[in-house]
């Protein structure tokens, strides 16, 4: 049966298995729990009345394997955070409690919300104060697979920011939820137990086109050689000891139980602070139907999925290869340390099997509208990205057009100016060998050129810009106020890789 006959109860069951306990909306009419621990403003509240949802930021033990508990800051004491289901265009009120000693920001990634609720202090969103509370109200949009996560600077503190367990899925239902699938599975990929290393960066040749720009390459390599010649070591990178899907190390959680011929729609988000992830399922292919929650014009089959931090992929797998399989990362070391989940067909048993897929690179252009070219923008912004090796207390400093965003917490003036209703193109040139997951807040952009190849129709809010490559994205300025633009790699955004647009 395709999803036409799928019952709501079946769906709740499937979602509950896949993404941990789901938070049901607070019962309407219930009084707010103003006596809740950690709420300094207890007593009558100006915003009295029940919120639709409550999210409580708190330190919790998380059992990632049997009797193996890590300590992390979480939402509501669980990892991943509760799966929040919104209806597009239906206003919600959410109480954010902060039971920690640090100011917090909760970012509604991929949604067109106001600066007051977006969850970025750089845009002016107020912090959720330590041991305090904030109530926010907004209208979820656009429909699709979104996420929410913390948006505070971690810097050199691996116990802060996205190194923690502060990530969850927000799924916004549209007016029609069509699709030829039997059921959905939500997967959150996440590493824990981070440590610093100076191993240098691993070159990741995963993107197509693979064309590098010789000018960018020369600039980057020359800067690196000059830095090393001065006796500087390579800048810090982050590695991890524990790898999980839905908070469980491979083999430690419930398997995904499937039946022969079922069409399973996977909604996968990379919740990593820093890592690009891959996924393959031996004997199966993925039909990618949406990226970052936005349907693609050309939903083709691929053997391997690649996702940078905060990227999402929705893909349908037809279960026609019975067995017990590992849906896992291509990196043997990461898989051995937990990055995978077991897929078990009904009536099959035995040790889960992994088979490495053939080498396949990731190309956004595959999902584009064939033969289409993008509309001309009203204005083009040029941005050059560069790395200053180990220049910031041993950390790499990152610049946009030669400027690192201040790391002192003060807000910077907007560097780029938008007029509402106009269409803009950002032309990016990456003079570093790292892949950068480039993210624009409060807007959706269209990929219009990747490494020299024009394309149209693929809508995203974060995408991978390849090492020594250039790319262009177009967007409509349709959300007034300050808008943050940054690399989603926590080490990069924390050490300069951010800038602000304003829109009037
Ligand atoms: Cu980056």
């Amino acid at each position: 049966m395709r999803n036409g006959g799928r019952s709501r109860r079946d769906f709740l069951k499937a979602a509950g298995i896949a993404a941990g306990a789901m938070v049901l909306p607070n019962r309407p009419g219930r009084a707010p729990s103003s006596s809740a621990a950690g709420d300094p403003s207890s007593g009558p509240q100006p915003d009295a009345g029940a919120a639709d949802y409550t999210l409580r930021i708190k330190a919790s033990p998380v059992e990632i394997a049997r009797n193996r508990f890590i300590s992390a800051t979480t939402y509501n004491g669980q990892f991943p955070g509760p799966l929040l289901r919104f209806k597009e265009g239906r206003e919600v009120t959410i109480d954010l409690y902060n039971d920690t000693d640090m100011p917090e920001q909760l970012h509604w990634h991929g949604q067109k919300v106001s600066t007051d609720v977006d969850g970025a202090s750089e845009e002016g969103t107020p912090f959720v104060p330590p041991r305090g509370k904030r109530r926010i109200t907004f209208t979820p949009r656009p429909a699709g697979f979104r996420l929410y996560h913390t948006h505070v600077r971690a810097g050199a503190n691996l116990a802060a920011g996205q190194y923690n367990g502060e990530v969850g899925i927000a799924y916004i239902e549209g007016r029609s939820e069509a699709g030829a699938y039997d059921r959905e599975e939500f997967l959150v990929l996440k590493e824990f137990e981070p440590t610093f290393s100076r191993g240098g960066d691993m070159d990741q040749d995963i993107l197509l086109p693979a064309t590098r720009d010789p000018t960018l390459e020369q600039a980057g390599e020359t800067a690196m050689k000059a830095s090393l010649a001065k006796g500087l070591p390579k800048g810090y990178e982050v590695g991890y000891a524990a790898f999980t899907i839905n908070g469980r190390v491979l083999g430690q959680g419930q398997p995904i139980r499937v039946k022969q011929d079922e069409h399973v729609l996977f909604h996968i988000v990379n919740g990593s602070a820093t890592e690009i992830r891959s996924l393959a399922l031996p004997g199966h292919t993925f039909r990618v139907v949406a990226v970052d929650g936005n349907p693609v014009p050309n939903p083709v089959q691929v053997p391997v999925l690649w996702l940078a931090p905060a990227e999402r992929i929705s893909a349908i797998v037809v279960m026609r290869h019975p067995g017990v399989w590992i849906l896992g990362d291509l990196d043997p070391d990461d898989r051995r340390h937990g990055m995978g989940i077991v897929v078990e067909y009904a009536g099959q048993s035995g040790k889960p099997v992994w088979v490495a897929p053939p080498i396949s690179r990731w190309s956004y252009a595959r999902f584009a509208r064939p033969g289409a070219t993008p509309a001309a923008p009203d204005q083009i912004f040029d941005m050059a990205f560069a790395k200053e090796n180990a220049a910031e207390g041993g950390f790499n400093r990152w610049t946009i057009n030669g400027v690192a965003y201040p790391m002192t917490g003060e807000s910077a003036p907007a560097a780029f100016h938008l007029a509402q209703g106009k269409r803009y193109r950002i032309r990016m040139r990456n003079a570093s060998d790292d892949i950068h997951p480039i993210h624009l807040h409060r807007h959706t952009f269209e990929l219009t050129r990747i490494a020299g190849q024009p394309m149209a129709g693929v809508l995203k809010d974060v995408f991978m810009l390849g090492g020594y490559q250039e790319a262009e994205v177009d967007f409509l300025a349709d959300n007034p106020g300050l808008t943050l633009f940054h690399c989603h790699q926590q080490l990069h955004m924390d050490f300069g890789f951010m800038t602000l647009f304003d829109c009037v």
Side-chain angles (χ1 to χ4, degrees):
M1 184 203 326
R2 300 288 87 89
N3 88 326
R6 180 174 66 119
S7 78
R8 179 79 184 163
R9 193 177 55 219
D10 286 347
F11 168 73
L12 289 173
K13 216 166 67 185
I17 289 165
M22 177 166 159
V23 146
L24 294 169
N26 298 340
R27 242 171 293 150
R30 204 178 56 179
S33 50
S34 57
S35 60
D39 180 10
S41 56
S42 53
Q45 307 251 325
D47 51 6
D52 298 303
Y53 296 94
T54 299
L55 289 174
R56 194 172 279 281
I57 303 160
K58 57 190 275 192
S60 330
V62 177
E63 188 173 21
I64 59 168
R66 216 157 91 85
N67 288 326
R68 183 177 172 197
F69 295 86
I70 54 128
S71 162
T73 309
T74 63
Y75 296 117
N76 296 3
Q78 64 180 79
F79 183 85
L83 171 58
L84 304 179
R85 284 190 90 95
F86 300 135
K87 289 249 189 293
E88 187 183 30
R90 186 187 292 175
E91 189 178 84
V92 291
T93 296
I94 302 180
D95 280 338
L96 306 175
Y97 287 89
N98 180 1
D99 292 355
T100 77
D101 298 318
M102 301 298 288
E104 271 289 348
Q105 287 283 355
L106 189 146
H107 172 46
W108 298 100
H109 187 121
Q111 293 201 45
K112 298 194 175 189
V113 291
S114 71
T115 55
D116 187 55
V117 303
D118 187 47
S121 59
E122 297 83 358
E123 296 172 347
T125 315
F127 282 98
V128 189
R131 306 284 160 190
K133 173 197 171 184
R134 237 196 122 211
R135 167 169 284 199
I136 56 170
T137 298
F138 63 96
T139 303
R141 68 189 179 102
F145 178 26
R146 315 290 167 211
L147 69 149
Y148 59 97
H149 61 81
T150 183
H151 209 290
V152 295
R153 184 171 190 272
N157 182 1
L158 291 179
Q162 296 174 83
Y163 301 114
N164 263 302
E166 289 163 271
V167 60
I169 290 170
Y171 195 92
I172 306 171
E173 291 171 359
R175 276 178 197 86
S176 62
E177 287 286 299
Y181 58 90
D182 296 303
R183 62 194 176 85
E184 294 168 296
E185 291 285 346
F186 290 88
L187 304 180
V188 179
L189 317 183
K190 183 73 178 171
E191 310 83 3
F192 291 103
E193 301 182 334
T195 49
F196 287 123
S197 72
R198 279 201 142 135
D201 33 19
M202 270 180 294
D203 227 358
Q204 287 185 293
D205 280 331
I206 59 171
L207 299 175
L208 270 182
T211 331
R212 291 179 156 197
D213 180 312
T215 317
L216 293 171
E217 186 156 17
Q218 205 196 355
E221 296 299 314
T222 306
M224 190 61 175
K225 277 193 198 109
S227 171
L228 297 177
K230 277 194 286 184
L232 282 171
K234 283 192 168 177
Y236 291 113
E237 302 287 345
V238 173
Y240 302 88
F243 296 75
T244 68
I245 292 184
N246 291 345
R248 286 287 186 152
V249 162
L250 172 60
Q252 291 286 333
Q254 289 294 318
I256 298 171
R257 294 193 171 89
V258 302
K259 298 191 192 88
Q260 169 98 27
D261 295 325
E262 249 186 339
H263 290 50
V264 179
L265 172 58
F266 286 95
H267 292 297
I268 303 156
V269 57
N270 181 353
S272 179
T274 57
E275 297 264 290
I276 295 168
R277 299 253 66 100
S278 57
L279 273 185
L281 179 62
H284 299 77
T285 55
F286 303 90
R287 190 160 64 87
V288 175
V289 294
V291 290
D292 296 355
N294 310 310
V296 296
N298 192 24
V300 294
Q301 309 257 359
V302 295
V304 179
L305 304 176
W306 289 92
L307 308 96
E311 279 196 299
R312 290 90 72 205
I313 294 174
S314 302
I316 294 175
V317 177
V318 185
M319 297 297 169
R320 286 203 182 126
H321 199 60
V324 181
W325 306 104
I326 292 172
L327 169 60
D329 199 290
L330 267 57
D331 185 309
D333 210 42
D334 294 358
R335 213 172 48 249
R336 207 163 28 243
H337 287 93
M339 190 48 79
I341 189 166
V342 175
V343 173
E344 186 183 290
Y345 276 71
Q348 300 286 319
S349 59
K351 203 168 174 278
V353 175
W354 169 259
V355 183
I359 289 167
S360 109
R361 289 174 189 249
W362 183 248
S363 161
Y364 294 117
R366 263 185 214 134
F367 313 117
R369 192 171 295 120
T373 48
D378 294 305
Q379 194 184 335
I380 299 174
F381 296 113
D382 281 296
M383 288 193 194
F385 307 139
K387 168 161 81 178
E388 295 171 20
N389 179 62
E392 197 70 42
F395 290 88
N396 298 325
R397 184 194 291 135
W398 293 92
T399 61
I400 299 177
N401 294 344
V403 178
Y405 194 89
M407 291 156 232
T408 48
E410 84 228 30
S411 50
F416 301 92
H417 306 283
L418 309 170
Q420 205 177 338
K422 289 224 155 81
R423 192 174 161 86
Y424 294 90
R425 175 166 298 165
I426 310 174
R427 192 157 55 194
M428 292 168 253
R429 291 170 59 77
N430 177 12
S432 75
D433 56 358
D434 303 60
I435 295 173
H436 299 291
I438 300 293
H439 174 45
L440 180 65
H441 280 229
R442 303 168 62 241
H443 290 79
T444 303
F445 54 71
E446 179 181 9
L447 303 181
T448 50
R449 182 180 286 266
I450 301 279
Q453 185 181 328
M455 57 182 282
V458 175
L459 301 174
K460 294 183 77 21
D461 49 60
V462 54
F463 87 104
M464 285 185 267
L465 171 62
Y468 299 133
Q469 292 199 332
E470 48 182 4
E472 294 173 7
V473 305
D474 290 15
F475 68 101
L476 177 70
D478 59 356
N479 202 355
L482 290 170
T483 285
L484 194 62
F485 170 101
H486 64 92
C487 176
H488 216 285
Q489 217 274 23
Q490 180 96 48
L491 266 182
H492 300 183
M493 65 183 283
D494 285 354
F495 290 93
F497 206 141
M498 293 205 291
T499 191
L500 278 168
F501 287 84
D502 65 12
C503 176
V504 289

